[in-house]
Amino acid sequence: MSVTTLSEVEERHSREAIEREIVRFEERIRELQSGTITPEQFRPFRLKHGTYGQRQPGFQMLRVKIAAGVLRPAQLRVLADIADEYSTGRGHLTTRENVQFHFVKLENVGAAMRLLADAGLTTREACGNTVRNVTACPVAGICPGEAFDVTPYALGVSRYLLRHPDFHDLPRKFKIAFSGCENDGDCAVAGIHDVGLIAQVRGSNGTPHRGFKVLVGGGLGSLPTTAAVLSDFLPEEELLPTIEAILRVFTETGNRKNKLLARLKFVLRAKGIEEFRRLVTEKRKVSEAPAETLAVPSPIKPSLVTIAPTPRSFSAAEPQSDPEYDRWAGHNLMFQRQAGYGAVWVKLPAGTFYSNQMRGLANVLEKNELTGVRIAVNQDLVIPWVPFDRVRAIYNGLRTLDLATAGARTISDVTGCPGATTCNLGITRPLTLADVLSRELNGYTDPEIQKLRIKISGCPNSCGHHHIADIGFYGNVRKVGEQQAPYYQLLLGGKVNADGVRFARQIMAVPARPIPAIIRELLAFYQQDRQAAAETFSAGVARTQDKTIKDWLLPLAEVT
């Protein structure tokens, strides 16, 4: 089936169509409960609707797609209601800019879906072999280094592909990310996606033309792969047709027999970038996707595509002496490219976000005439468009919600997935470790140490992005005596920047308990061994042999 008109796109997202979708989900639940269908028959349908079985029998994880990470106050309140009514009073922000709710009973999923639909949110295609949430740089539209705001493009692509009849049963999951610049290690990390899009502006005779550098076939997991360049410059109006063409090539050539070899990166490995480019070109010739610039109001996306307020004038606030506030502002406040405005980073402990904080943040935004917040891939929140004369008021409001923790985007801002706490695949519990590390690493003042990133996954699948961390961990287990003990594989030196992606290298397996001490010892080794004050941790790791690092850390890693 082909989507030939924009009216068909809108019909897919009508409230009536969504209600039919929810009713059908509830019917399938009843069929499961009556024994008409088996759990295995229900599983792909459940996943396609963003409902993932937990390791605890009888409970589900409900994953809510937040397109481009953009949330408005009313949506925050709906998420809070779902957290209280159907979950545990909290949600979890993910590295895919989703919000997850755990311990949801299957019979309550339909009711939660209706609340989400009323707020313009959905769980549809948040799991399974589908196009997952389309992510974007959390500072898009305000970043001093961006080519242009990619938010409208991310929202437009998300809306076009959501519920697309041809793309909800792919060979494997498919991830798309938009970045406003090449140096996107803390933003969108385009180079690790099935399709990564980096904003570019080119032109001649004084006429600039927007477009994208297109990367394809990236991914993490057990075989981390850097994306290849499909196009150095794709004109913006070619965005939808080209993404559709890539998806059609993937649909026809992806491995449907072995899910371990089913991601797009394996198609690239088998065919090479030149043949893949040829196949995409052929599919583009017959694509019926509309050629859209997406920079202006369009039927395939909401007309309001930014969260910028109406321009206003203001005066700077009187300075106040407050060391705690100054420390917070030093890392949690960034300048926008628009004069007089800043963006506030809200540091969350590995993405844990409580319902009272959701409601309270909605109130803070509205009280200060701010229209939205964004989820970042490092599991923090970003409040853009804060006039400098309101920063102190925002800080005070966040502090009452326990959301004014200093140290955003520093070594103490640790990324982690839920792991074995709820996930069937999880081996260890990254959230527990991330919480400990966040507190214990908060006192470092060395600028080179402060800028480091720690990322933790509960298994090799890299939901916590451990492959691209300065210091990464993924969970495994070892037998110690007669007991199974939680261990982590230590990885060092991962990075994403304007030069591309460099995956961290595996160093050694370490027991979970002494990891805080192991990190402190690792940092002490770096400070003692660095060849100059300006030598980065990454450079130090790159020139140091694995054996040297192992020998230094081994006394702490031995289990007695």
Side-chain angles (χ1 to χ4, degrees):
M1 176 180 178
S2 297
V3 178
T4 57
T5 66
L6 296 181
S7 62
E8 290 182 37
V9 177
E10 289 307 300
E11 170 58 26
R12 296 203 305 263
H13 304 313
S14 70
R15 191 62 182 86
E16 294 76 16
I18 294 171
E19 178 59 26
R20 291 194 297 270
E21 177 180 290
I22 297 171
V23 169
R24 179 57 180 150
F25 187 87
E26 292 171 326
E27 289 173 350
R28 295 290 279 178
I29 292 175
R30 289 192 290 271
E31 291 172 0
L32 174 70
Q33 293 170 337
S34 68
T36 305
I37 60 173
T38 67
E40 279 305 305
Q41 289 173 319
F42 181 60
R43 183 175 182 274
F45 180 84
R46 165 173 58 78
L47 290 173
K48 184 173 68 175
H49 289 81
T51 308
Y52 193 98
Q54 288 187 196
R55 68 190 308 139
Q56 294 84 2
F59 291 101
Q60 311 293 319
M61 179 270 284
L62 194 64
R63 181 178 291 158
V64 183
K65 275 179 149 178
I66 312 297
V70 176
L71 279 171
R72 302 186 185 281
Q75 293 172 326
L76 284 168
R77 293 190 178 97
V78 167
L79 294 175
D81 290 343
I82 291 172
D84 285 339
E85 290 293 324
Y86 306 118
S87 185
T88 59
R90 61 184 173 184
H92 175 75
L93 307 188
T94 77
T95 55
R96 192 95 232 119
E97 298 177 358
N98 296 305
V99 178
Q100 293 180 174
F101 296 103
H102 295 92
F103 294 96
V104 179
K105 292 183 178 180
L106 189 58
E107 56 266 30
N108 290 332
V109 170
M113 286 178 171
R114 286 188 176 88
L115 288 176
L116 292 168
D118 289 340
L121 298 172
T122 186
T123 64
R124 179 67 186 251
E125 293 147 29
C127 305
N129 298 329
T130 64
V131 179
R132 301 293 185 88
N133 192 39
V134 178
T135 60
C137 173
V139 292
I142 64 172
C143 177
E146 70 181 1
F148 55 83
D149 182 6
V150 298
T151 308
Y153 302 86
L155 293 176
V157 168
S158 177
R159 190 166 180 81
Y160 180 73
L161 295 178
L162 181 64
R163 300 185 177 92
H164 194 295
D166 295 349
F167 303 136
H168 60 77
D169 185 24
L170 299 171
R172 199 72 174 91
K173 57 189 173 184
F174 194 91
K175 299 179 179 180
I176 301 172
F178 283 81
S179 177
C181 66
E182 298 265 7
N183 190 17
D184 70 339
D186 287 330
C187 303
V189 287
I192 63 168
H193 284 78
D194 295 287
V195 174
L197 299 141
I198 300 174
Q200 309 272 322
V201 176
R202 294 188 182 180
S204 58
N205 300 322
T207 304
H209 194 167
R210 289 183 173 189
F212 295 90
K213 181 178 182 179
V214 183
L215 307 176
V216 292
L220 297 178
S222 59
L223 185 65
T225 304
T226 302
V229 178
L230 181 73
S231 173
D232 283 315
F233 184 79
L234 179 77
E236 60 178 342
E237 63 271 16
E238 285 294 305
L239 182 62
L240 281 181
T242 299
I243 290 177
E244 182 180 89
I246 293 169
L247 278 163
R248 294 199 184 282
V249 172
F250 181 46
T251 297
E252 294 180 6
T253 61
N255 189 330
R256 293 182 181 271
K257 295 181 179 179
N258 184 349
K259 74 174 187 177
L260 298 179
L261 301 175
R263 292 292 297 273
L264 184 66
K265 61 187 176 183
F266 294 103
V267 175
L268 266 292
R269 283 173 177 262
K271 297 188 176 298
I273 186 61
E274 293 299 330
E275 173 62 8
F276 185 81
R277 188 179 291 119
R278 185 190 70 79
L279 292 171
V280 170
T281 300
E282 291 301 311
K283 290 297 181 185
R284 168 61 188 97
K285 292 176 182 177
V286 296
S287 172
E288 295 178 336
E292 288 278 323
T293 65
L294 303 180
V296 296
S298 161
I300 68 165
K301 61 177 177 56
S303 59
L304 183 61
V305 295
T306 72
I307 50 177
T310 303
R312 59 189 296 275
S313 60
F314 51 85
S315 58
E318 289 296 320
Q320 301 180 44
S321 178
D322 183 342
E324 185 178 346
Y325 169 79
D326 292 342
R327 183 168 178 266
W328 171 85
H331 292 288
N332 296 48
L333 177 64
M334 65 170 279
F335 285 86
Q336 294 188 189
R337 61 181 171 85
Q338 296 85 359
Y341 291 93
V344 169
W345 285 74
V346 180
K347 178 185 173 186
L348 295 173
T352 300
F353 196 21
Y354 290 92
S355 60
N356 69 302
Q357 294 174 326
M358 297 175 192
R359 292 191 185 91
L361 180 57
N363 293 337
V364 169
L365 293 173
E366 290 179 341
K367 181 179 179 180
N368 289 279
E369 301 177 30
L370 300 171
T371 54
V373 66
R374 301 189 76 147
I375 301 174
V377 296
N378 71 342
Q379 301 174 306
D380 286 343
L381 293 168
V382 180
I383 307 173
W385 293 102
V386 179
F388 284 134
D389 65 346
R390 294 194 181 183
V391 171
R392 187 67 187 230
I394 296 292
Y395 168 76
N396 290 336
L398 294 176
R399 188 171 57 178
T400 64
L401 300 169
D402 197 23
L403 290 176
T405 303
R409 300 174 296 158
T410 70
I411 189 172
S412 67
D413 196 357
V414 182
T415 299
C417 71
T421 304
T422 54
C423 180
N424 282 312
L425 301 178
I427 302 170
T428 55
R429 299 174 182 265
L431 295 184
T432 302
L433 178 57
D435 185 57
V436 172
L437 293 178
S438 180
R439 287 183 274 106
E440 295 207 9
L441 300 176
N442 206 29
Y444 281 94
T445 58
D446 184 325
E448 290 300 323
I449 288 180
Q450 282 187 329
K451 68 175 65 170
L452 300 183
R453 301 292 182 265
I454 297 176
K455 301 179 186 293
I456 312 169
S457 302
C459 74
N461 285 326
S462 203
C463 292
H465 288 180
H466 58 263
H467 286 295
I468 56 172
D470 295 288
I471 303 173
F473 296 95
Y474 71 81
N476 55 34
V477 67
R478 291 197 172 187
K479 192 170 184 179
V480 179
E482 297 300 316
Q483 302 293 323
Q484 296 285 340
Y487 267 66
Y488 283 91
Q489 184 70 38
L490 169 65
L491 301 91
L492 297 177
K495 188 169 288 295
V496 180
N497 57 22
D499 297 324
V501 179
R502 184 177 70 203
F503 296 120
R505 70 181 199 260
Q506 295 194 36
I507 302 298
M508 62 192 296
V510 297
R513 188 179 298 275
I515 282 178
I518 287 171
I519 292 178
R520 288 194 296 269
E521 191 66 19
L522 181 64
L523 297 177
F525 173 77
Y526 158 65
Q527 289 178 310
Q528 176 181 313
D529 187 63
R530 61 184 170 189
Q531 295 183 345
E535 184 181 45
T536 65
F537 180 85
S538 179
V541 167
R543 65 171 174 78
T544 305
Q545 294 184 352
D546 291 0
K547 185 178 184 303
T548 302
I549 299 172
K550 288 180 183 178
D551 289 346
W552 187 277
L553 299 178
L554 194 58
L556 290 172
E558 291 179 335
V559 176
T560 57

